[in-house]
Amino acid sequence: MVEAAGSIHADIMRRIHGGDIYAGFVPTFADDRQGWNSQHPVFEQIIRGLRPSVVIDVGTWKGASTIYLAGLLQRNGLAGAVIAVDTFLGSVEHWDRSSAFAGLIPHRFGMPLLYEQFLSNVVRCRAQGWIVPLAMTSTAAGVLLGRVGIRAGLIHIDASHEYEDVLRDARAYWEVLTPGGFMVGDDYDEHWPGVVKAANEFAAEKSVPLATSAPKWIMQKPL
């Protein structure tokens, strides 16, 4: 991916971080873009049709979906930015040693090194001119983005599989979503009943149709 530090990306980087956080960073990990459902066709359909300048990826893991979304902006000639929101600490299933998802994050002295892996992946893909990381909880990041006046036309919700977390994130980021924009969530299937329940309840709460394209759930904010 060709580096392209456009004005939108630079403005968002300044509003959030006050400067370029990539300056002087040297990748410390080999490329590892492990992810799930990261290149779903609904992303390209929305970006081609809506042509958003700002995308928010809530729950980015190692950056596979974020890097893919940034590539879609570039390939569609959009000078914009993808904001990657994550604690970069992993979810419950990544810490539960009995889980099949345990052991996926490198640690140093008990601290996950997911942020370093993410930055390494972004820089190795030369996508740093398109991606702005935001290492906060999804709730806190939603408040901050609203406070600094950032809005997005596409928001991907994938920070948690817990019912309360998904519902809270949907509510928070609906306020950041531009009218006519799309909210897309991951893991709408029987293996994650909390996600299904939260998405269904939120759609009913907003009186907005809920579409699905397995395993994504999709809602468009009314104009």
Side-chain angles (χ1 to χ4, degrees), residues 37 93 99 101 160-162 186-198 215:
N37 313 315
E93 56 268 23
S99 167
F101 296 98
S160 173
H161 298 111
E162 305 302 317
D186 196 28
D187 298 307
Y188 189 93
D189 66 41
E190 61 183 8
H191 297 100
W192 304 109
V195 175
V196 175
K197 180 181 178 183

Side-chain angles (χ1 to χ4, degrees), residues 50-130:
L50 187 66
R51 299 186 65 79
S53 57
V54 180
V55 175
I56 302 174
D57 196 9
V58 185
T60 186
W61 186 234
K62 297 178 182 179
S65 57
T66 305
I67 292 168
Y68 180 69
L69 289 164
L72 288 176
L73 292 183
Q74 184 196 38
R75 291 195 293 276
N76 284 275
L78 297 167
V82 182
I83 302 171
V85 174
D86 205 301
T87 62
F88 297 99
L89 297 174
S91 299
V92 172
E93 56 268 23
H94 305 127
W95 283 86
D96 180 355
R97 302 191 67 81
S98 65
S99 167
F101 296 98
L104 297 179
I105 307 174
H107 288 71
R108 182 182 295 131
F109 304 115
M111 173 60 72
L113 301 179
L114 194 57
Y115 186 61
E116 287 186 44
Q117 179 69 74
F118 171 83
L119 289 184
S120 295
N121 290 342
V122 170
V123 172
R124 289 189 186 282
C125 291
R126 299 179 65 200
Q128 60 266 44
W130 300 86

